[in-house]
Amino acid sequence: MRSFSNLWFWIALAVFWSSASHWVLGVPWDSVLRAKRKGGQAEIDLQDLVRINSNRLLHIIDVSGLFLIGFTFFILTGLAGVGFAYNVEFAQAVFLLLFPMSIVSMLSVRVARRIRADSPTGEELRKRLARHRFWVQFIGMISIFVTSLWGMFQNFQISPLG
């Protein structure tokens, strides 16, 4: 269960954040770029995709949001306690994957609520999605940096050279 010295963990971390950055509110980023380049039907498709995915996300939150928040806090608290208090590296690794993604999820709900309330179209919609993508990438960058530092620290602690 040595996660931080396992190549598959680092590949999974990269794929995890790459996917999070590509799928903005469940909409692939290339759809946003296509709508900007071509307009017309691509723009209508983007608006429909954003509307559908925003409404879907908000329906899930409205129906079972409290349960999801409680369950998420339970899992994150358990992982943090087992990982950092009992020094279980696998739990630390999973926590360092899930905790930042929970922040991204909260941001996504916030953006979806604003999009539903304001119903932006065209350039304004693309700007909001781009801004949301920027923050997802920023959180991902900080997450990868912190995970890398913690992983190196753990590897040095266990290393026979230390």
Side-chain angles (χ1 to χ4, degrees), residues 72-93:
T72 301
F73 274 103
F74 172 76
I75 294 296
L76 289 175
T77 303
L79 286 170
V82 169
F84 297 104
Y86 293 107
N87 206 27
V88 176
E89 190 172 314
F90 181 73
Q92 293 171 1

Side-chain angles (χ1 to χ4, degrees), residues 76-118:
L76 289 175
T77 303
L79 286 170
V82 169
F84 297 104
Y86 293 107
N87 206 27
V88 176
E89 190 172 314
F90 181 73
Q92 293 171 1
V94 174
F95 177 82
L96 290 171
L97 280 171
L98 294 182
F99 177 70
M101 192 51 69
S102 67
I103 296 170
V104 168
S105 298
M106 289 187 302
L107 276 174
S108 295
V109 170
R110 182 172 166 237
V111 170
R113 286 205 192 282
R114 285 189 174 174
I115 286 174
R116 184 197 280 174
D118 299 342

Side-chain angles (χ1 to χ4, degrees), residues 52-161:
I52 290 166
N53 287 322
S54 294
N55 286 339
R56 181 178 167 269
L57 175 64
L58 293 176
H59 174 72
I60 292 169
I61 293 301
D62 291 341
V63 169
S64 57
L66 287 177
F67 173 76
L68 288 173
I69 290 170
F71 184 72
T72 301
F73 274 103
F74 172 76
I75 294 296
L76 289 175
T77 303
L79 286 170
V82 169
F84 297 104
Y86 293 107
N87 206 27
V88 176
E89 190 172 314
F90 181 73
Q92 293 171 1
V94 174
F95 177 82
L96 290 171
L97 280 171
L98 294 182
F99 177 70
M101 192 51 69
S102 67
I103 296 170
V104 168
S105 298
M106 289 187 302
L107 276 174
S108 295
V109 170
R110 182 172 166 237
V111 170
R113 286 205 192 282
R114 285 189 174 174
I115 286 174
R116 184 197 280 174
D118 299 342
S119 299
T121 59
E123 182 64 26
E124 179 61 29
L125 179 61
R126 290 191 308 270
K127 279 183 181 179
R128 286 192 188 192
L129 293 174
R131 196 173 317 123
H132 180 60
R133 183 174 191 241
F134 168 80
W135 286 109
V136 169
Q137 289 176 329
F138 182 76
I139 292 168
M141 184 179 65
I142 298 299
S143 171
I144 291 170
F145 179 71
V146 169
T147 302
S148 299
L149 286 179
W150 185 256
M152 284 187 287
F153 175 73
Q154 289 298 323
N155 288 334
F156 284 139
Q157 292 290 85
I158 296 172
S159 171
L161 301 175

